Amino acid sequence: MTTTPPPPPGPVDTGPPTPTDLRAFAFLGQVNGCLRQCLCTLARHGVALRHRDPERARLLLDTVRPWPFYKGGQFLFDLMEWEDLMVDGDPPPPVSTERIVSACTLPVQWLAAATAKAPAATKLIPGQRTAAALDLPLRLLATTARTAFLGAALDLTDLLGTPAPQAEADDDTGYATATGPEADPQGTEAELPPLQAGFYLYEDVVLGALAVLGPLLADHAPADAAPSA
């Protein structure tokens, strides 16, 4: 005796999105919008650098092209179709360099702590291997604690002290944000050239990241690093 299998269940009507769904979508939309705004801003900085100093732009790209970060970034850029995200719709307003630096400060500090040379042991001592294994987490914890303490101190100073003029104040990254002629050698964000879609888009994003984050990266260079002549 054969039995006929029951028909597969039809789609379940779950109704319209709930308020939680809508708020979740709003947050994800905000993330997409912020990512698009930052990518477009970096690309415009890259276009400015490529037009203003083509020799430096070529040297920067020739230096980073062999590195896994550059190749992996190119793969993710294509895989996630970030170019479509960037050029879809009207150009977004540029993001200030201070905000980009502020967003990247903690990740750069983590990378600096993770890649810093550990002190070399002069002799084998009991527990040395365990101490070496804990060295990286402890350095990361110390970096995070130092950043949190500095931020809290700056916030407390802002609350108790007299606000300083904008030209003399620092942002929460600890980097000067003076608005004088030397604050933005590439011109204000409003003067950035328009986005140029196409073959150079990823390269422009990389150039813009190096131009905007260069001082932050240089500040975390190894102590024995010396600029080449």
Side-chain angles (χ1 to χ4, degrees), residues 12-186:
V12 179
D13 185 9
T14 58
T18 66
T20 300
D21 296 333
L22 297 177
R23 292 179 61 84
F25 291 153
F27 168 72
L28 295 176
Q30 172 183 289
V31 172
N32 277 338
C34 183
L35 175 62
R36 177 174 184 258
Q37 196 175 6
C38 289
L39 288 172
C40 290
T41 300
L42 292 177
R44 293 175 64 182
H45 277 284
V47 173
L49 177 59
R50 183 157 51 85
H51 289 174
R52 183 183 66 257
D53 196 345
E55 184 63 22
R56 181 189 172 204
R58 182 193 62 79
L59 178 61
L60 291 176
L61 289 174
D62 288 346
T63 301
V64 300
R65 275 196 186 103
W67 294 355
F69 273 134
Y70 180 90
K71 297 177 181 179
Q74 177 75 77
F75 175 75
L76 292 176
F77 190 86
D78 296 337
L79 180 66
M80 296 184 177
E81 299 182 350
W82 278 352
E83 179 176 1
D84 295 342
L85 173 68
M86 295 171 65
V87 302
D88 182 23
D90 296 332
V95 182
S96 68
T97 56
E98 289 82 6
R99 182 180 177 187
I100 296 177
V101 171
S102 177
C104 296
T105 296
L106 189 56
V108 170
Q109 289 176 338
W110 285 344
L111 287 174
T115 57
K117 293 181 180 179
T122 57
K123 60 181 180 178
L124 185 63
I125 59 175
Q128 176 180 324
R129 294 181 178 84
T130 301
L134 293 175
D135 182 61
L136 175 59
L138 289 176
R139 279 186 284 139
L140 290 175
L141 180 60
T143 300
T144 303
R146 184 167 57 252
T147 303
F149 178 78
L150 177 60
L154 291 175
D155 288 341
L156 186 60
T157 301
D158 292 341
L159 289 174
L160 300 179
T162 302
Q166 181 64 28
E168 300 175 0
D170 290 351
D171 67 358
D172 57 356
T173 66
Y175 292 89
T177 57
T179 57
E182 296 181 358
D184 188 2
Q186 301 178 12

Side-chain angles (χ1 to χ4, degrees), residues 193-213:
L195 188 71
Q196 294 184 353
F199 179 76
Y200 294 105
L201 188 57
Y202 174 68
E203 293 184 353
D204 286 339
V205 172
V206 173
L207 286 174
L210 292 173
V212 172
L213 301 177

